[in-house]
């Protein structure tokens, strides 16, 4: 999906950069060589960048503790 129509920047490009580069939308657009123009896309781009970075810091699987909720027999 295109995030920025002015610069033809796709969501997948932002996600890839977000996982390897620092900065917000302005910095990532600059890394692509396409700085924001009308800026209507910047809020959505920031959301995508934040989502990608949050997803890369969380574990994929949270191990369950064995017998954590097992009740003892009386």
């Amino acid at each position: 999906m295109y995030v920025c129509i002015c610069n033809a920047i796709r969501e997948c490009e932002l996600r890839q950069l977000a996982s390897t580069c620092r900065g917000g939308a302005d910095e990532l657009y600059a890394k692509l060589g396409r700085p924001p123009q009308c800026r209507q896309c910047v809020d959505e781009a920031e959301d995508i960048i934040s989502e990608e970075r949050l997803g890369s810091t969380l574990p994929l699987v949270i191990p369950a503790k064995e017998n954590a909720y097992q009740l003892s027999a009386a």
Side-chain angles (χ1 to χ4, degrees):
M1 165 179 94
Y2 283 98
V3 175
C4 176
I5 302 303
C6 297
N7 290 311
I9 296 174
R10 296 179 182 182
E11 181 178 345
C12 60
E13 293 175 286
L14 282 180
R15 289 188 183 280
Q16 184 177 25
L17 276 178
S19 64
T20 59
C21 301
R22 291 185 170 191
D26 288 318
E27 291 81 11
L28 295 186
Y29 280 33
K31 287 229 182 250
L32 291 169
R34 299 175 263 174
Q37 295 187 25
C38 75
R39 303 192 65 82
Q40 290 185 8
C41 60
V42 172
D43 287 341
E44 184 174 355
E46 292 287 357
D47 290 344
I48 291 168
I49 293 164
S50 295
E51 181 182 288
E52 185 63 28
R53 289 181 177 154
L54 179 63
S56 66
T57 60
L58 294 176
L60 295 176
V61 176
I62 300 172
K65 292 183 181 179
E66 291 184 35
N67 301 323
Y69 298 104
Q70 186 177 28
L71 299 174
S72 59

